[in-house]
Amino acid sequence: MTSINLLGHDAGRLIEYFASIGEKPFRAKQVERWIHRAGVADFAAMTDLAKTLREKLIAGATVLGPRVLSDATAADGTRKWLLNVGAGNGIEAVFIPETNRGTLCVSSQAGCALDCKFCSTGKQGFNRNLTTAEIIGQLWHANRALAASGYAQLGERAVTNVVMMGMGEPLLNYEAVLPALQLMLDDNAYGLSRRRVTVSTSGIVPLIDRLGEDCPVALAVSLHAPNDRLRDELMPINRKYPLRELLAACRRYLAFAPRNFITFEYVMLAGVNDSDQHADELIRLLADVPAKVNLIPFNPFPRAGFVRSPPDRIHRFNERLNAAELLTTTRKTRGDDIDAACGQLAGQVEDRTRRADRWARANA
Ligand code: SAH
Ligand code: SF4
């Protein structure tokens, strides 16, 4: 008999599973707490369950976390895990410790189909969607690993914030991401507040609306250009969902959002999108959206074809937006020495061109 991995079951699915083995809903809640709050994978150790139930679970189910391929800690404390998701694919999860919080950057797909020109995940192409177990497994694993190495945050679990800013486009893996978000919020699992869970998207308009209805968490939108002409070039998805539609979706989202603004991410690419004119255009574009802008110094990777804007250019761009009362901050780059920064999360996704070559050879 194949056993079912309960790691990716949200509360509703756990209740269904327990019903299917003739058990009451409160048992589902107990097991959910063991798995996610206590980080326990072994049913035999779930001491408040009846022995017969423990035996039933051991026979029919598992709690299977990700297999770790590598684990690196940067000089600044940033820690990155490369996790095996099978078939030669690795995805990455990154923990960023700060004074009063610990943020985990979570991946949603192996690779990404959207081909943003400045993104190393995009350069690899798309391999596959992660399952809910693989998505929540990153958080489950990080809390366990950080606890084991003695890292505790205010006596609580190490991860206090989650950002879906790792590899992949979370809204294009909606069916698996939604239950993972629900587990992050669930008091019987991670109990994070909606403001501490952020979905970052390149702007999949209809799914921004769905997220607002199903599970409104904090929203970050990857903008990166102040007009359609440039955004079409940098982010091909803009041809499908242009700025006017994207910003309208952002305004609609605010009716549900846990915060009264949308975060806009803007990667600083020297000579491409970083002039005073671009800043002014951005100010006009965001005039009627309650917004915070987060400038991200571009993180270079081999053959990227872009250069990071110089620090004084980033500073002046930031100041110009602030002077227009567009609240703006510049992201500190973290974990540089272990390639753990945004857009460097390359994992080990098999290159699609290599795959295509192999397929062609095999079928020659
Ligand atoms: N697919 C989602 C989330 C993952 S990317 C999205 O695009 O929003 C997380 C953030 O890193 C996005 O804002 C993305 O545009 C940005 N990013 C990608 N490549 C980068 C790079 N090389 N340097 C800096 N930021 C980058
Ligand atoms: Fe995909 Fe986001 Fe990278 Fe664009 S920036 S290719 S949407 S992961």
Side-chain angles (χ1 to χ4, degrees):
M1 194 174 83
T2 55
S3 58
I4 296 180
N5 185 8
L6 298 184
L7 185 61
H9 281 39
D10 63 5
R13 278 188 69 201
L14 276 175
I15 290 171
E16 278 169 29
Y17 172 75
F18 277 77
S20 78
I21 60 166
E23 296 285 341
K24 298 225 159 57
F26 82 95
R27 293 295 184 197
K29 194 187 282 186
Q30 274 179 307
V31 169
E32 187 183 349
R33 293 169 76 98
W34 275 113
I35 297 173
H36 296 287
R37 288 182 64 127
V40 169
D42 178 5
F43 296 118
M46 300 185 182
T47 45
D48 58 357
L49 303 181
K51 190 148 180 285
T52 50
L53 172 55
R54 276 184 264 160
E55 278 162 6
K56 233 194 278 188
L57 289 171
I58 290 166
T62 62
V63 178
L64 197 60
R67 210 151 58 74
V68 180
L69 295 173
S70 72
D71 175 350
T73 303
D76 66 8
T78 301
R79 185 161 168 188
K80 180 173 85 169
W81 296 276
L82 178 65
L83 306 170
N84 183 10
V85 292
N89 292 314
I91 50 120
E92 291 173 337
V94 178
F95 178 70
I96 304 142
E98 286 170 284
T99 316
N100 285 315
R101 62 180 180 191
T103 303
L104 188 71
C105 180
V106 168
S107 295
S108 57
Q109 299 180 312
C112 182
L114 296 185
D115 200 22
C116 300
K117 299 307 174 209
F118 48 80
C119 174
S120 72
T121 304
K123 286 252 188 258
Q124 302 179 343
F126 175 69
N127 196 291
R128 73 166 171 85
N129 280 325
L130 300 187
T131 63
T132 302
E134 288 165 338
I135 297 166
I136 204 68
Q138 297 167 57
L139 178 54
W140 183 81
H141 171 74
N143 273 318
R144 278 167 47 114
L146 290 160
S149 50
Y151 185 100
Q153 186 78 39
L154 311 169
E156 294 287 325
R157 274 173 302 193
V159 179
T160 63
N161 294 57
V162 172
V163 292
M164 301 285 312
M165 292 185 185
M167 300 171 68
E169 168 50 53
L171 294 185
L172 288 183
N173 185 15
Y174 193 83
E175 299 304 324
V177 165
L178 182 63
L181 294 175
Q182 268 146 358
L183 279 166
M184 291 172 199
L185 303 178
D186 189 339
D187 282 338
N188 292 312
Y190 299 91
L192 299 176
S193 86
R194 291 181 188 280
R195 318 165 140 250
R196 288 175 175 269
V197 175
T198 301
V199 166
S200 174
T201 180
S202 57
I204 316 295
V205 165
L207 292 167
I208 292 176
D209 286 317
R210 253 188 94 184
L211 185 69
E213 282 160 28
D214 294 344
C215 190
V217 292
L219 186 68
V221 170
S222 294
L223 202 58
H224 306 322
N227 61 59
D228 282 318
R229 196 179 35 74
L230 182 56
R231 198 165 188 269
D232 280 351
E233 251 175 65
L234 294 175
M235 303 179 72
I237 190 67
N238 193 65
R239 295 176 205 151
K240 192 160 178 193
Y241 303 115
L243 284 169
R244 203 170 52 82
E245 288 177 34
L246 175 56
L247 295 177
C250 291
R251 277 191 294 268
R252 290 193 295 276
Y253 194 85
L254 283 164
F256 306 95
R259 296 175 181 268
N260 56 4
F261 60 87
I262 304 286
T263 301
F264 291 95
E265 294 158 281
Y266 195 97
V267 63
M268 296 299 285
L269 306 166
V272 175
N273 66 353
D274 66 346
S275 70
D276 285 350
Q277 288 71 24
H278 291 119
D280 293 342
E281 234 181 322
L282 187 57
I283 291 162
R284 285 195 297 276
L285 182 73
L286 296 180
D288 55 356
V289 191
K292 276 193 185 170
V293 175
N294 193 211
L295 303 179
I296 315 175
F298 170 66
N299 285 301
F301 52 91
R303 291 184 299 281
F306 292 100
V307 173
R308 178 185 292 182
S309 307
D312 67 312
R313 178 83 301 258
I314 298 178
H315 181 71
R316 285 185 39 202
F317 197 93
N318 193 331
E319 290 302 289
R320 202 168 176 94
L321 300 186
N322 272 333
E325 286 176 20
L326 182 52
L327 201 59
T328 306
T329 52
T330 298
R331 188 173 298 172
K332 279 200 291 269
T333 51
R334 299 285 305 261
D336 273 352
D337 48 335
I338 55 166
D339 288 351
C342 270
Q344 282 182 338
L345 303 188
Q348 284 195 331
V349 176
E350 250 192 284
D351 190 290
R352 65 178 159 191
T353 49
R354 269 202 340 253
R355 256 188 296 137
D357 281 354
R358 243 200 347 261
W359 186 89
R361 275 200 308 276
N363 290 282

